[in-house]
Amino acid sequence: MSLFERYLTVWVGLCIISGIVLGKVAPGFAKTLDGMAIYVDDAPVVSIPIAVCLFFMMYPIMVKIDFAEVLKAGKAIRPVGLTLFINWAIKPFTMYAIASFFLGTLFLTFIGPEAVDYVKMPFGVDLVVGAEYGSGKVVLIDGVKMLEVPLWRSYLAGCILLGIAPCTAMVLVWGFLAKGNDGHTLVMVAINSLTMLVLYGILGGFLLGVGKLPVPWQALLLSIAVYVALPLVAGYLSRKWLIATRGEVWFKEKFLHVLTPVTIAALLVTLILLFSFKGETILSNPLTILWIAIPLLIQTIVIFALGYLLSKFMGLTYESAAPTAMIGASNHFEVAIATATMLYGLSSGAALATVVGVLIEVPLMLMLVRFCVRTQNWFPHMSNHDHCKTEATEPMAVSK
């Protein structure tokens, strides 16, 4: 792990402090940056600063993907099928259920039953002041139409966007540290990225609707295009060109190494912007982070345990079981942050909830890596011959 990755939790903590201080010293700074956006019918659709930061977060992830490996994934039906099942058929719904229970019932007294959040009007929706939309009501804030929604539902929206965003680039690190099958991890990163183009918008719209929150379908699809499809295409084309012109060794040992701190730096800049605008909320109720973190932590552990136990039940080797559980447990928080910001605004509770996801993921995933390594004798192991033969096929199990 690089210096940035190893101490990501520290950097996130420093960004929180820096953002809060910046918000107190220059309260208009984040508002000014958030106003730098592409507008359609007077609605800010794409925040330019966030879009730039998110591109530099996502591009290094996409450029690592060897799409030829996706074709080989069909030879590993069981681990690939299990990963897809957990990520798209289980994880989004357990996140909704867990977050709804904790935020909407158990912690509602602490959050405040009457506490409200002001989020962006859905893209393409023009309602009069006082009209109701989902669980929100149209109000006028500083001359701009906003939706007034219960604060806990805004936090729930951020949790939902995290729950439907599986597998970040960091999962490659978790799989490597857990001594898993790197080929399987890489293939699943590719497959999840492609699957997100379809299922992220569908599941996001459905679960946000179930939660009685605004469902701006156009903005959801646009966020996928801007934050997933664009860097995906850029990554594919530039990878192909760079390998053809400079060679694969240079690409892997030089180019990718340079990109890693760029990714984290872009993430940290985004976090400073987010917390500079949410500083007052955090200072007035510092336990807000805790109320959001608890359901996210429980969700991560539940999904990891489910993936690990089902891998054991299906007789997978440890090298496939570890990354399968890790991929389900981790979140694509870059896309979640971008989508929450785009849909609900930089200052929304939804955006804050996605940032809390970043805060807890690194230390928690490192604990799960340690757990995997200590329990690897629960599983059969792949033979050295199978391990060398291919990275993308499911290996033959042998006793340890």
Side-chain angles (χ1 to χ4, degrees), residues 16-101:
I16 292 174
I17 297 172
S18 300
I20 292 174
V21 171
L22 180 61
K24 294 293 289 184
V25 175
F29 180 70
K31 279 188 175 181
T32 300
L33 287 180
D34 193 36
M36 298 170 58
I38 298 174
Y39 287 78
V40 176
D41 296 331
D42 296 326
V45 178
V46 176
S47 170
I48 295 175
I50 296 296
V52 171
C53 289
L54 263 294
F55 179 84
F56 285 103
M57 282 189 226
M58 294 297 298
Y59 172 75
I61 300 170
M62 300 305 185
V63 80
K64 292 178 181 178
I65 298 174
D66 182 359
F67 287 91
E69 293 295 314
V70 178
L71 300 177
K72 299 179 183 179
K75 300 177 182 179
I77 295 176
R78 289 190 299 163
V80 170
L82 177 59
T83 304
L84 288 174
F85 174 73
I86 291 174
N87 282 346
W88 298 108
I90 301 296
K91 182 179 179 180
F93 304 99
T94 56
M95 174 65 87
Y96 177 83
I98 293 172
S100 294
F101 171 71

Side-chain angles (χ1 to χ4, degrees), residues 12-248:
V12 169
L14 291 175
C15 283
I16 292 174
I17 297 172
S18 300
I20 292 174
V21 171
L22 180 61
K24 294 293 289 184
V25 175
F29 180 70
K31 279 188 175 181
T32 300
L33 287 180
D34 193 36
M36 298 170 58
I38 298 174
Y39 287 78
V40 176
D41 296 331
D42 296 326
V45 178
V46 176
S47 170
I48 295 175
I50 296 296
V52 171
C53 289
L54 263 294
F55 179 84
F56 285 103
M57 282 189 226
M58 294 297 298
Y59 172 75
I61 300 170
M62 300 305 185
V63 80
K64 292 178 181 178
I65 298 174
D66 182 359
F67 287 91
E69 293 295 314
V70 178
L71 300 177
K72 299 179 183 179
K75 300 177 182 179
I77 295 176
R78 289 190 299 163
V80 170
L82 177 59
T83 304
L84 288 174
F85 174 73
I86 291 174
N87 282 346
W88 298 108
I90 301 296
K91 182 179 179 180
F93 304 99
T94 56
M95 174 65 87
Y96 177 83
I98 293 172
S100 294
F101 171 71
F102 278 92
L103 298 176
T105 302
L106 197 60
F107 296 155
L108 185 58
T109 302
F110 304 109
I111 295 173
E114 305 301 324
V116 297
D117 192 18
Y118 298 99
V119 302
K120 289 181 180 180
M121 286 287 293
F123 174 58
V125 175
D126 186 18
L127 299 173
V128 298
V129 175
E132 293 186 356
Y133 186 84
S135 65
K137 182 175 69 174
V138 181
V139 296
L140 204 61
I141 304 294
D142 296 330
V144 178
K145 289 182 181 179
M146 304 285 285
L147 272 179
E148 182 185 86
V149 299
L151 181 58
W152 76 268
R153 289 194 182 277
S154 189
Y155 293 152
L156 173 62
C159 293
I160 290 172
L161 293 174
L162 278 170
I164 60 174
C167 188
T168 71
M170 289 296 289
V171 81
L172 295 168
V173 179
W174 311 142
F176 173 76
L177 293 177
K179 302 177 182 179
N181 184 345
D182 293 336
H184 171 57
T185 310
L186 182 61
V187 164
M188 288 315 306
V189 168
I191 291 177
N192 272 324
S193 297
L194 295 173
T195 309
M196 282 181 68
L197 293 175
V198 178
L199 294 183
Y200 191 76
I202 294 174
L203 285 174
F206 172 72
L207 291 174
L208 292 173
V210 169
K212 297 183 179 179
L213 289 150
V215 186
W217 285 96
Q218 300 95 326
L220 268 173
L221 295 175
L222 184 58
S223 68
I224 295 170
V226 172
Y227 299 120
V228 179
L230 182 60
L232 182 68
V233 172
Y236 171 76
L237 294 177
S238 59
R239 175 191 176 91
K240 194 172 183 179
W241 178 75
L242 287 170
I243 292 178
T245 56
R246 301 297 299 268
E248 191 167 358

Side-chain angles (χ1 to χ4, degrees), residues 366-382:
L366 287 174
M367 289 172 57
L368 294 177
V369 165
R370 185 181 296 272
F371 176 82
C372 282
V373 172
R374 289 183 175 180
T375 59
Q376 59 182 299
N377 60 343
W378 292 2
F379 298 84
H381 283 253
M382 64 194 296

Side-chain angles (χ1 to χ4, degrees), residues 1-2 9 39-40 50 121 123 192 210 224 258 270 281 283 304 311 319 324 329 354 362 386:
M1 298 178 70
S2 70
T9 302
Y39 287 78
V40 176
I50 296 296
M121 286 287 293
F123 174 58
N192 272 324
V210 169
I224 295 170
V258 171
T270 305
T281 300
L283 291 175
F304 170 84
S311 296
E319 288 78 10
T324 294
T354 59
V362 174
D386 287 330

